[in-house]
Amino acid sequence: MLASIIYWGIILVCVAWAALSLWFSVFYLARKENGNLWAFAFFNVVVAIVLAISLVIFRTWGFGVTQYSSLIYVVLAVLLGSTVLQAVLGREPKDA
């Protein structure tokens, strides 16, 4: 029981972070402050690593957590996809 609460808690926190990160990315892009996107890209990588480690732990150590969907894979894909977008869009134009 506790293992499934921790498992779903990790997933929900990562979903909340992905939503917050995407919202702030749009906010900073609208204000033309692209340099701030690098920080969100870095934190997305950290969150994706934590999510991947928890996926490996809950898949291999036999905690008996039933996975009803592939939501964890969708969250990983969203985090890594937004990381690439934030890294590309976070570049500041060079002054000539």
Side-chain angles (χ1 to χ4, degrees), residues 19-85:
L20 188 68
S21 173
L22 290 175
W23 187 85
F24 273 113
S25 296
V26 171
F27 175 75
Y28 284 126
L29 280 174
R31 295 181 62 174
K32 305 282 191 231
E33 297 177 5
N34 297 358
N36 293 331
L37 296 180
W38 284 94
F40 288 104
F42 172 74
F43 290 128
N44 282 348
V45 170
V46 172
V47 170
I49 289 171
V50 168
L51 193 60
I53 289 171
S54 66
L55 175 66
V56 168
I57 288 172
F58 282 101
R59 283 273 190 189
T60 59
W61 288 2
F63 284 105
V65 175
T66 304
Q67 297 174 344
Y68 297 108
S69 67
S70 60
L71 179 65
I72 194 165
Y73 297 113
V74 171
V75 174
L76 269 172
V78 167
L79 284 170
L80 295 176
S82 65
T83 298
V84 171
L85 284 175

Side-chain angles (χ1 to χ4, degrees), residues 7-8 13-14 16-17 32 35 49-50 73 93 96:
Y7 175 78
W8 287 105
V13 166
C14 290
W17 169 254
K32 305 282 191 231
I49 289 171
V50 168
Y73 297 113

